[in-house]
């Protein structure tokens, strides 16, 4: 059944105080000077079906409640009534009520909620004057898939970022096992092997065993308190020992530098204008495919021409296959960049931790100033990697290579000075052994 608009009644809405139009199911052409209410009629139709005026949304100081009613009326005076045929059925929308269409109208009303059904001049002009990359966004806005496209892109970014974080943590765990194996001169490959190895060392040091790894902090605190170290040195030894623990491994490993160089090589071809456009096209095609497929549409949502749905979906699939490799490469860059960011943020956290711990130690006044400077450099570099993750630039690998050497050298220097301070305090061999066990 074909539903047609018979009549429109508009009261106190936008630039129209009162208007009745007999359309009788025919096409309508509006012609007139600026300010005569042409756009207000279009706004009234949109308001009737959706309860909003899309071009007022998101514009500062503009709103439906303030700018919907005619200047000489209040929001309570506003009403838009449309009469439909067949059946001569009249439905009304006001600011406080919405129309309740009969069952035979439900499909029409659902379409107006899902997709853009009013194409404004500003959207057409935006499409015409934009550069190619932005033109695809304009199409997305016109056919009503822009929000879906943005949600999908954000979910893809989050997926890639999560994968990158998982990869980073897996590398970090392997790194920890490697350092632990070197320290205790035993090959540790999993968590189950840690506790027996540690208890063997504790037994050699004539210290009680650890019951479980979950109680390790409690155990260390107890061991430290049972010695005279902390009581005799105003907790300086405890702070020094914590700094030695942090500096026992490099802040930035060569593996991170290699990962950055690999990402940089992969990101170069993705930064060209042609590639950017192709990535936008791929996103648009995927969103369009879902809409046409799920809603079983036989009408193009953009030009409203009849389409061979199966043939069009096959063609879209073929084009998406040509873009898949490019999209996969972009996803790899996002994932690898997220892994690098997490690793660098770990290094940043270690630097911040040392900076806070040496605040109370006047011997490190010079190192503290250098630490602040390196913190700033590393933080700025992380922001550059984040831009690369979003395919906005390459990563300046030369900067991080030099920064890695400087930060790791600074860590070694602080570690050496900590050892010198401990030597001056004059700890016994047994006390030094306990500190080594605590650090381990």
């Amino acid at each position: 059944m074909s539903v047609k608009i018979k009549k429109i009644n508009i009261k106190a809405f936008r630039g129209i105080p009162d208007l009745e139009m007999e359309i009788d199911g025919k096409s309508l052409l509006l012609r007139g000077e600026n300010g005569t209410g042409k756009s207000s009629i279009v706004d009234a139709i949109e308001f009737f079906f959706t309860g909003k005026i899309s071009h007022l949304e998101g514009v500062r100081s503009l709103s439906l409640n303030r700018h919907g009613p005619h200047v000489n009326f209040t929001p309570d005076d506003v009403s838009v009534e449309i009469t439909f045929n067949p059946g001569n059925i009249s439905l009304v929308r006001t600011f406080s009520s919405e129309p309740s269409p009969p069952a035979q109208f439900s499909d029409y009303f659902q379409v107006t909620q899902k997709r853009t059904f009013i194409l404004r001049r500003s959207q057409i002009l935006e499409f015409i004057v934009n550069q190619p990359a932005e033109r695809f966004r304009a199409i997305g806005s016109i056919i009503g898939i822009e929000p879906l496209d943005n949600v999908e892109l954000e979910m893809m970014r989050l997926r890639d970022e999560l994968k990158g974080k998982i990869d980073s943590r897996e590398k970090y765990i392997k790194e920890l096992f490697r350092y632990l194996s070197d320290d205790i001169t035993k090959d540790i490959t999993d968590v189950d092997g840690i506790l027996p190895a540690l208890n063997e060392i504790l037994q050699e040091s004539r210290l009680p065993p650890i019951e479980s790894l979950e109680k390790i902090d409690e155990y260390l605190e107890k061991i430290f308190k049972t010695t005279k170290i902390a009581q005799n040195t105003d907790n300086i030894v405890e702070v020094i020992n914590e700094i030695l623990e942090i500096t026992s491994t490099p802040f930035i490993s060569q593996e991170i530098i290699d990962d950055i160089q690999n990402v940089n090589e992969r990101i170069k071809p993705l930064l060209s204008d042609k590639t950017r456009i192709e990535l936008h096209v791929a996103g648009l095609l995927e969103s369009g495919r879902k809409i046409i497929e799920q809603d079983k549409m036989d009408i193009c949502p953009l030009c409203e021409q009849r389409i061979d749905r199966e043939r069009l979906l096959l063609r879209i699939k073929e084009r998406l296959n040509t873009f898949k490799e490019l999209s996969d490469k972009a996803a790899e860059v996002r994932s690898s960049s997220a892994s690098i960011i997490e690793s660098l943020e770990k290094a940043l956290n270690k630097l911040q931790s040392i900076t806070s711990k040496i605040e109370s130690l006047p011997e490190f006044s010079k190192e503290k100033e250098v630490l602040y400077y390196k913190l700033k450099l590393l933080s700025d570099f992380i922001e550059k990697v984040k831009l690369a993750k979003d395919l906005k630039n390459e990563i300046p690998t030369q900067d991080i290579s030099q920064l890695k050497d400087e930060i790791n050298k600074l860590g070694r220097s602080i570690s050496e000075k900590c050892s010198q301070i401990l030597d001056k305090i004059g700890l016994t061999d047994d006390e030094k052994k306990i500190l080594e066990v605590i650090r381990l």
Side-chain angles (χ1 to χ4, degrees):
M1 179 187 67
S2 179
V3 177
K4 302 287 186 180
I5 293 177
K6 178 184 178 184
K7 184 168 59 174
I8 301 176
N9 280 290
I10 305 171
K11 295 185 184 298
F13 186 81
R14 300 287 281 159
I16 300 173
D18 192 2
L19 175 67
E20 181 176 310
M21 301 176 64
E22 288 280 355
I23 299 176
D24 203 21
K26 298 178 182 178
S27 298
L28 175 65
L29 175 65
L30 299 173
R31 179 179 178 275
E33 300 294 331
N34 288 342
T36 55
K38 300 187 300 298
S39 296
S40 295
I41 295 173
V42 177
D43 290 344
I45 295 171
E46 182 180 17
F47 170 71
F48 173 84
F49 283 103
T50 68
K52 62 185 180 182
I53 305 174
S54 56
H55 67 90
L56 294 183
E57 293 187 341
V59 181
R60 197 170 188 179
S61 77
L62 293 183
S63 68
L64 179 63
N65 280 336
R66 289 182 59 193
H67 298 88
H70 187 277
V71 293
N72 296 329
F73 295 87
T74 68
D76 293 336
D77 299 319
V78 173
S79 72
V80 178
E81 180 181 4
I82 296 184
T83 303
F84 298 90
N85 271 334
N88 200 33
I89 297 171
S90 292
L91 302 173
V92 180
R93 182 183 287 273
T94 67
F95 272 28
S96 59
S97 65
E98 58 185 64
S100 299
Q104 63 265 35
F105 287 7
S106 61
D107 289 345
Y108 291 89
F109 276 78
Q110 285 177 14
V111 166
T112 64
Q113 306 304 311
K114 289 182 179 179
R115 293 185 290 274
T116 302
F117 70 101
I118 291 177
L119 185 60
R120 300 183 182 278
R121 183 180 64 171
S122 60
Q123 291 174 292
I124 299 173
L125 291 176
E126 184 180 6
F127 174 77
I128 292 171
V129 303
N130 268 334
Q131 295 299 315
E134 291 302 319
R135 192 170 291 165
F136 294 110
R137 290 188 179 277
I139 293 175
S141 174
I142 289 170
I143 65 177
I145 64 171
E146 187 179 31
L148 177 63
D149 191 35
N150 291 337
V151 168
E152 183 178 25
L153 288 174
E154 182 60 26
M155 289 181 69
M156 289 171 63
R157 279 193 289 268
L158 290 173
R159 176 205 64 193
D160 297 336
E161 187 172 331
L162 180 60
K163 183 180 182 300
K165 288 182 177 180
I166 291 171
D167 291 344
S168 171
R169 294 183 187 190
E170 287 177 347
K171 287 180 183 177
Y172 184 60
I173 289 169
K174 289 179 182 178
E175 205 173 63
L176 290 177
F177 280 132
R178 188 169 68 246
Y179 290 137
L180 184 59
S181 298
D182 291 342
D183 284 343
I184 64 177
T185 63
K186 287 193 178 201
D187 188 22
I188 305 294
T189 58
D190 57 42
V191 174
D192 292 338
I194 296 175
L195 194 59
L198 290 179
N199 279 332
E200 189 176 326
I201 293 173
L202 291 172
Q203 186 178 9
E204 292 172 0
S205 303
R206 298 191 298 278
L207 291 170
I210 303 173
E211 295 177 12
S212 71
L213 292 177
E214 284 75 17
K215 295 184 177 181
I216 199 163
D217 289 336
E218 179 185 329
Y219 177 89
L220 292 178
E221 186 178 354
K222 184 178 179 181
I223 289 294
F224 205 92
K225 284 182 177 179
T226 55
T227 69
K228 296 180 180 179
I229 302 172
Q231 301 167 20
N232 296 339
T233 56
D234 296 327
N235 293 328
I236 291 176
V237 173
E238 186 174 5
V239 173
I240 293 293
N241 210 44
E242 288 172 352
I243 295 174
L244 283 170
E245 178 192 338
I246 296 170
T247 56
S248 62
T249 58
F251 289 89
I252 302 174
S253 67
Q254 181 58 42
E255 187 178 14
I256 296 176
I257 305 301
D258 295 340
D259 288 344
I260 290 172
Q261 290 172 339
N262 289 334
V263 167
N264 228 23
E265 288 302 313
R266 284 182 289 175
I267 205 173
K268 284 179 183 177
L270 298 175
L271 295 178
S272 68
D273 288 341
K274 180 183 177 183
T275 302
R276 290 175 188 271
I277 292 170
E278 288 175 342
L279 287 171
H280 282 307
V281 172
L284 181 65
L285 286 173
E286 182 59 35
S287 298
R289 180 192 67 79
K290 289 179 180 178
I291 286 181
I292 293 171
E293 198 172 54
Q294 291 172 2
D295 292 355
K296 302 189 183 313
M297 296 179 65
D298 294 314
I299 302 294
C300 174
L302 179 60
C303 65
E304 295 187 342
Q305 299 298 311
R306 186 165 292 281
I307 58 174
D308 183 334
R309 183 158 53 89
E310 296 304 323
R311 185 178 177 184
L312 178 59
L313 287 172
L314 181 61
R315 177 60 181 147
I316 290 175
K317 183 179 179 181
E318 290 172 353
R319 293 193 66 193
L320 283 172
N321 285 336
T322 64
F323 291 131
K324 186 177 186 305
E325 184 179 355
L326 197 59
S327 297
D328 289 347
K329 287 180 179 178
E332 287 174 6
V333 167
R334 284 193 293 266
S335 177
S336 299
S337 298
S339 175
I340 291 167
I341 290 167
E342 175 138 311
S343 297
L344 292 176
E345 285 178 342
K346 281 189 177 73
L348 188 69
N349 290 336
K350 287 173 70 173
L351 283 175
Q352 288 170 336
S353 180
I354 287 184
T355 304
S356 65
K357 290 183 186 304
I358 66 174
E359 285 287 345
S360 59
L361 303 174
E363 296 91 340
F364 292 96
S365 57
K366 182 180 177 182
E367 286 80 1
K368 184 169 67 174
E369 292 180 10
V370 180
L371 275 170
Y372 281 129
Y373 180 60
K374 300 305 178 188
L375 276 169
K376 176 69 168 58
L377 291 179
L378 184 56
S379 181
D380 290 345
F381 184 81
I382 290 172
E383 292 304 314
K384 293 175 183 176
V385 181
K386 289 179 179 178
L387 289 174
K389 180 170 71 75
D390 294 331
L391 305 180
K392 293 182 179 178
N393 59 243
E394 292 182 40
I395 305 174
T397 51
Q398 187 62 37
D399 293 355
I400 190 60
S401 257
Q402 182 178 343
L403 188 58
K404 179 206 76 154
D405 293 339
E406 292 172 353
I407 289 176
N408 289 344
K409 182 179 178 181
L410 179 61
R412 291 192 297 270
S413 173
I414 291 173
S415 179
E416 289 171 7
K417 184 173 279 192
C418 285
S419 298
Q420 291 168 6
I421 293 173
L422 286 181
D423 288 340
K424 288 180 181 178
I425 290 173
L427 300 176
T428 66
D429 289 342
D430 284 343
E431 288 172 335
K432 288 180 180 178
K433 185 66 175 177
I434 289 173
L435 289 181
E436 288 175 7
V437 170
I438 289 172
R439 283 199 297 272
L440 180 61

